[in-house]
């Protein structure tokens, strides 16, 4: 569960680095950033490999570091989550206008 101050993105793992660090390309922004594994994923021994789609959280206070919080089982599931999140954001923007 994300804090209110955390930003969530969907990304694709480009490279696996030592010590459970990853280079992830964010789908929405097409930027490559370094991320670490969240505590619950470490505890449950969830592995992330190259070309997996993941949900990542980024603190708005520390924009250079973030954490992987969910690994999608297939790319279609990640893209569906991406489409629903953008549709809900558009609905909020339209209702505010």
């Amino acid at each position: 569960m994300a804090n209110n101050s955390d930003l969530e993105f969907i990304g694709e793992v480009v490279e696996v680095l030592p010590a459970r660090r990853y280079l992830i390309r964010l789908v929405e922004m097409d930027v490559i950033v370094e991320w670490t594994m969240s505590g619950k994923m470490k505890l449950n021994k969830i592995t992330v490999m190259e070309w997996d789609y993941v949900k990542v959280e980024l603190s708005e206070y520390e924009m250079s570091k973030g954490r992987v919080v969910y690994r999608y089982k297939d790319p279609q599931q990640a893209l569906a989550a991406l489409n629903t999140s953008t549709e809900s954001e558009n609905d909020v923007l339209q209702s505010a206008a």
Side-chain angles (χ1 to χ4, degrees):
M1 188 84 155
N3 292 339
N4 291 338
S5 62
D6 289 345
L7 306 171
E8 289 187 351
F9 298 100
I10 295 176
E12 180 181 8
V13 178
V14 176
E15 185 178 349
V16 179
L17 303 172
R20 294 192 183 215
R21 293 179 301 143
Y22 305 94
L23 289 179
I24 296 177
R25 182 182 60 85
L26 300 178
V27 175
E28 294 100 349
M29 294 187 278
D30 201 31
V31 177
I32 296 178
V33 184
E34 186 176 324
W35 301 84
T36 60
M37 184 80 75
S38 72
K40 285 198 174 202
M41 290 185 72
K42 287 180 190 175
L43 184 69
N44 293 316
K45 298 180 178 134
I46 297 172
T47 58
V48 176
M49 298 169 47
E50 284 188 34
W51 313 117
D52 280 346
Y53 281 89
V54 293
K55 181 189 291 185
V56 293
E57 288 182 353
L58 177 66
S59 173
E60 63 184 31
Y61 301 110
E62 181 67 38
M63 299 297 274
S64 63
K65 297 178 183 176
R67 62 191 171 274
V68 177
V69 295
Y70 185 79
R71 181 180 71 91
Y72 290 102
K73 295 175 181 40
D74 57 0
Q76 287 81 19
Q77 183 183 11
L79 297 175
L82 179 64
N83 290 337
T84 57
S85 67
T86 55
E87 288 173 2
S88 63
E89 290 172 2
N90 291 338
D91 293 341
V92 170
L93 292 174
Q94 288 177 354
S95 65

